[in-house]
Amino acid sequence: MKKYFLLITFCVFAFTLHAQLRLPKLVSDGMILQRQTALKIWGWDNEGSKIQVKFQNIIYKTVVSKSGRWQLNLPAFEAGGPYQMEVTDAKTKITINDVLIGDVWFCSGQSNMVHQLNIHDVTYAKEIVEANFPQIRQFWVPTLTNLVSAQEDIPAGQWKKAVGEEVRPFSAVAYFFAKQLHQKYQIPIGIINASVGGTPIEAWISEEGLPEIPSMKELVNKNKDTARINEVNRKSQEYSRSVPQPSDEGMTGKWYETNYIPKNWKNINVPGYWEDQGIRNLDGIVWYRKEIEIPTSMIGKNAKVFLGRIVDADELYINGKKVGSTGYMYPQRRYALAPEILKAGKNIFVVRVTNNGGKGGFVPDKPYCIFSEKDTVDLKGTWQYKVGAVFQRQFNPNAVFPISAQNQPTALYNAMVAHAIPYAIKGICWYQGESNAGKPVEYAQLLPALIKDWRQKWNNTTLPFLYIQLPGYMEYDYLPSESSWAVLRESQAKALSVLNTAMTVAIDLGEWNDIHPDNKKDVGERLALTALKLAYHENVIHSGPSLLSSEIKDHQIILTFENIGNELKTKDGEPIGDLAIAGADKKFVWAKSKIEGNKVIVWADGISTPKFVRYAWADNPINPNLINAEGLPASPFRTDN
């Protein structure tokens, strides 16, 4: 024990002896500092070292604490730049170049905040080409997790300008948000983007900030046992290796090669799910094959194949060569082809599709084509298919499932948020909720908890918090129905009771077949509109109609709305869609309605004593067309909760 203690003491001493001046990754070239507020500049060095920060010809001084950390408070500055900052100790000088002062927004959430312009480069090709905004900058926080404690810094990261190709990694929503603000105020706009796809909100809350949900508190404590985590994941890997995997006849038979002669293949339509085309409940591997006629004009040129979306994973072979693959269902398939891949005349396209559960195949209503310059060849239509492998899905009580750190409470806060807390910001943009749709009522606790937690960490109880309500997603239901996504949206709307928050409604901006809708521009610009109202105190209509009250009168229900702007109306001039009414039995039917000023009168034939109304209450409403004169949509609501 004594030797062990001496070893630790020596290591700490050696580290201290060789420590040198170091800054957090956020404090680096190209950074944007928050205007009109006191600033913190911090870092690490040897205990007792004297630190100087020179900025705008003023020198600020401090001494490094026993912990090896130092911090300096700078006064508020007005927007401007570029400036240079120098940080020095007795031996080292660090120069930070191209520093701007403007507004900084911390943008976080899951995949729809992650999604870069690069992923949507077809829709936003023009915006990418024309991007020339050197005063819009993004700091992309890499995906990191920590189940034990909050981290003071991250291993990598740098500020990037929204100029040319450098704009491609920008969050699309955050970019269009920042662009609106930059163009209006002509000041630098910084984005700190800390977001990870497929993650629940509780992963982004600190241990102290988690609400009193016993299961979460217990899980946080259990997860601090790193040995337990490693053991569970080791056993999970061992279990996976022990489960026999069926042989894929397509791989062993080399069905992708040009000299393969297909036998006993059947016809199937692309796009479409195979369960909808005569294949019952198949989880496994299905091969698709088609001869595609390519015109001479496309030969020798770079080309792209669009294969929409595929559930779950795919590999694309053209003329025997593997040209692209994707390992999970969500990304749109866009594969670039080298000039030598295609040939004039018949080309053999083979797609190997792996489905692990639910419907498998090619998602409808997506682009399926190959194109080069001005030539486009459609890939939709009749293909041939053959099953390569069938997965036997049986419950195994001995199964061991891995622990995904990024889905655990506090893990992302510790690794991706905590490091940024000293950095002054204008406000927060939040786009998340899909991963919590399975427990939508709980979300009504978690979102206010996150808001309170982050405000406490940034030491600002009124820090503007903007968030996006989930858009429509999944199949349309032409009868009134229950919906966990609708309840999740309701939980999101309840957070408006928290001071200094604003919600962007995006119910009309979704896609039934894509959890990552392509329209990120309208989302970002609507988000900017909420910022104008909440954070910049502009006199603007920032929200669509929201239900203020309801009154039952005879056989009708009278709904009163606020935020109607100049007029309450419908987007298409048609009656209000997705409006349902019910009596005490809560058997909802579609309702009739009329708009009178800021009120909507709702009734239905056959319901003489109405009690409840719902609007846009579905995973994916069919036609949520209630808007104000400014074109902003009403948030979904119900009166029966």
Side-chain angles (χ1 to χ4, degrees):
M1 179 62 73
K2 185 176 181 181
K3 289 182 178 180
Y4 179 76
F5 175 77
L6 290 173
L7 177 62
I8 294 295
T9 303
F10 174 78
C11 289
V12 171
F13 173 77
F15 173 78
T16 304
L17 190 65
H18 292 95
Q20 60 182 11
L21 180 62
R22 181 167 63 88
L23 297 173
K25 298 299 184 296
L26 274 170
V27 181
S28 56
D29 288 349
M31 68 178 175
I32 297 180
L33 297 173
Q34 179 59 43
R35 64 177 176 147
Q36 299 173 344
T37 190
L39 301 173
K40 295 177 181 177
I41 302 297
W42 73 101
W44 301 268
D45 205 339
N46 290 309
E47 176 191 350
S49 294
K50 296 178 180 180
I51 304 296
Q52 287 191 171
V53 172
K54 183 180 180 181
F55 188 61
Q56 294 197 32
N57 296 318
I58 299 176
I59 294 176
Y60 306 87
K61 299 180 180 181
T62 191
V63 177
V64 180
S65 68
K66 290 182 179 180
S67 67
R69 192 178 188 277
W70 59 267
Q71 180 175 296
L72 275 166
N73 297 323
L74 275 60
F77 299 96
E78 292 301 317
Y83 303 108
Q84 189 178 80
M85 179 180 288
E86 293 180 355
V87 184
T88 60
D89 64 6
K91 297 181 179 179
T92 307
K93 179 171 78 172
I94 299 175
T95 301
I96 305 167
N97 297 304
D98 194 21
V99 178
L100 301 179
I101 299 174
D103 284 345
V104 181
W105 289 86
F106 191 84
C107 299
S108 188
Q110 58 181 108
S111 51
N112 276 308
M113 185 62 87
V114 172
H115 261 223
Q116 302 99 334
L117 281 166
N118 189 56
I119 296 175
H120 302 272
D121 63 352
V122 175
T123 301
Y124 299 119
K126 185 173 184 289
E127 282 83 354
I128 292 171
V129 169
E130 295 178 352
N132 187 23
F133 301 100
Q135 290 194 339
I136 298 176
R137 299 179 183 181
Q138 175 178 265
F139 186 97
W140 188 273
V141 180
T143 298
L144 301 162
T145 60
N146 192 296
L147 297 172
V148 178
S149 62
Q151 301 300 291
E152 289 189 315
D153 201 10
I154 55 177
Q158 59 186 147
W159 291 89
K160 293 285 190 177
K161 301 176 183 179
V163 176
E165 289 295 298
E166 284 193 33
V167 80
R168 285 183 173 273
F170 275 56
S171 159
V173 166
Y175 170 74
F176 288 117
F177 168 81
K179 182 180 175 183
Q180 287 289 101
L181 298 181
H182 173 66
Q183 291 183 321
K184 180 172 179 61
Y185 295 111
Q186 295 298 302
I187 61 170
I189 300 293
I191 302 161
I192 301 173
N193 195 312
S195 46
V196 180
T199 54
I201 188 173
E202 58 267 27
W204 295 98
I205 304 174
S206 76
E207 182 176 356
E208 309 83 62
L210 281 173
E212 291 301 321
I213 300 175
S215 59
M216 284 190 186
K217 297 284 189 178
E218 292 169 9
L219 191 55
V220 169
N221 290 327
K222 286 177 64 177
N223 285 343
K224 290 181 180 180
D225 184 351
T226 304
R228 183 188 76 88
I229 299 291
N230 293 338
E231 180 66 10
V232 170
N233 288 338
R234 183 187 64 78
K235 288 182 177 180
S236 176
Q237 291 178 355
E238 289 179 353
Y239 171 77
S240 297
R241 288 193 292 266
S242 71
V243 176
Q245 298 297 319
S247 174
D248 178 4
E249 294 181 27
M251 292 303 292
T252 57
K254 299 182 179 180
W255 294 352
Y256 52 86
E257 291 193 344
T258 54
N259 59 2
Y260 166 75
I261 300 174
K263 296 179 181 179
N264 300 319
W265 288 58
K266 301 181 184 300
N267 290 339
I268 195 167
N269 196 59
V270 171
Y273 300 108
W274 62 63
E275 277 87 353
D276 296 334
Q277 301 184 67
I279 304 176
R280 182 180 297 173
N281 300 329
L282 173 67
D283 298 337
I285 299 171
V286 178
W287 291 73
Y288 289 72
R289 189 178 193 275
K290 186 178 178 68
E291 290 184 349
I292 305 294
E293 193 77 22
I294 299 297
T296 305
S297 56
M298 291 180 69
I299 306 308
K301 300 175 182 177
N302 291 316
K304 277 191 175 181
V305 175
F306 279 20
L307 281 179
R309 284 183 53 235
I310 297 174
V311 182
D312 293 302
D314 68 283
E315 297 174 4
L316 170 63
Y317 299 84
I318 298 179
N319 297 327
K321 296 181 180 179
K322 183 177 175 179
V323 296
S325 65
T326 304
Y328 63 113
M329 72 170 75
Y330 291 120
Q332 292 200 37
R333 274 54 170 178
R334 295 172 178 172
Y335 298 134
L337 303 183
E340 66 272 11
I341 295 295
L342 299 176
K343 61 182 182 179
K346 291 183 178 179
N347 292 253
I348 299 174
F349 280 56
V350 176
V351 185
R352 178 180 185 256
V353 179
T354 302
N355 174 244
N356 296 303
K359 290 184 176 182
F362 296 77
V363 176
D365 294 343
K366 289 292 180 182
Y368 292 88
C369 63
I370 179 171
F371 63 92
S372 177
E373 296 180 358
K374 297 181 180 180
D375 295 297
T376 301
V377 175
D378 193 0
L379 297 179
K380 297 190 296 293
T382 302
W383 288 52
Q384 291 184 304
Y385 83 89
K386 191 170 184 177
V387 176
V390 177
F391 301 155
Q392 298 293 331
R393 301 300 186 192
Q394 296 179 345
F395 173 72
N396 187 338
N398 298 317
V400 180
F401 299 100
I403 296 172
S404 174
Q406 70 178 33
N407 295 328
Q408 303 301 305
T410 76
L412 298 176
Y413 170 83
N414 287 341
M416 298 180 65
V417 180
H419 75 100
I421 295 300
Y423 205 88
I425 60 175
K426 178 73 172 179
I428 294 163
C429 298
W430 177 254
Y431 193 172
Q432 189 276 340
E434 300 91 336
S435 289
N436 290 88
K439 295 183 178 180
V441 175
E442 186 179 79
Y443 201 84
Q445 287 181 270
L446 291 166
L447 182 54
L450 179 134
I451 297 169
K452 180 181 179 181
D453 183 39
W454 286 13
R455 284 175 170 175
Q456 287 179 341
K457 298 300 184 185
W458 261 285
N459 196 28
N460 185 345
T461 57
T462 60
L463 187 66
F465 191 96
L466 318 176
Y467 62 100
I468 298 161
Q469 192 181 47
L470 293 186
Y473 172 56
M474 292 182 284
E475 289 86 354
Y476 299 115
D477 196 329
Y478 281 83
L479 291 174
S481 59
E482 300 300 324
S483 163
S484 63
W485 275 56
V487 179
L488 192 286
R489 294 187 194 105
E490 180 181 68
S491 291
Q492 291 177 312
K494 287 179 178 178
L496 287 172
S497 63
V498 179
L499 178 68
N500 227 34
T501 60
M503 182 178 74
T504 295
V505 176
I507 190 64
D508 57 328
L509 301 180
E511 298 177 24
W512 78 267
N513 57 4
D514 204 331
I515 201 169
H516 305 124
D518 220 21
N519 188 348
K520 296 291 189 280
K521 185 175 183 179
D522 284 344
V523 176
E525 291 182 350
R526 286 184 190 176
L527 187 66
L529 195 58
T530 64
L532 294 184
K533 180 70 173 182
L534 187 71
Y536 297 93
H537 311 295
E538 300 280 357
N539 185 23
V540 297
I541 302 297
H542 74 291
S543 168
S546 53
L547 182 66
L548 183 63
S549 64
S550 65
E551 176 189 1
I552 300 171
K553 190 173 182 180
D554 299 327
H555 64 286
Q556 299 175 331
I557 298 180
I558 302 171
L559 306 175
T560 302
F561 290 84
E562 57 183 347
N563 298 319
I564 66 168
N566 293 320
E567 185 184 5
L568 189 64
K569 57 189 287 188
T570 59
K571 181 169 58 178
D572 49 14
E574 296 294 315
I576 299 173
D578 295 282
L579 196 61
I581 192 169
D585 59 2
K586 289 193 175 182
K587 294 182 179 179
F588 284 88
V589 299
W590 295 126
K592 298 178 181 179
S593 64
K594 61 180 178 180
I595 298 173
E596 294 183 353
N598 69 333
K599 300 181 186 299
V600 173
I601 316 300
V602 187
W603 74 94
D605 298 336
I607 297 184
S608 57
T609 311
K611 293 289 185 182
F612 308 112
V613 171
R614 291 177 175 180
Y615 170 70
W617 196 260
D619 294 338
N620 192 16
I622 301 162
N623 183 29
N625 60 350
L626 184 61
I627 62 171
N628 56 20
E630 288 71 20
L632 298 172
S635 174
F637 64 84
R638 62 174 173 172
T639 65
D640 59 307
N641 57 325

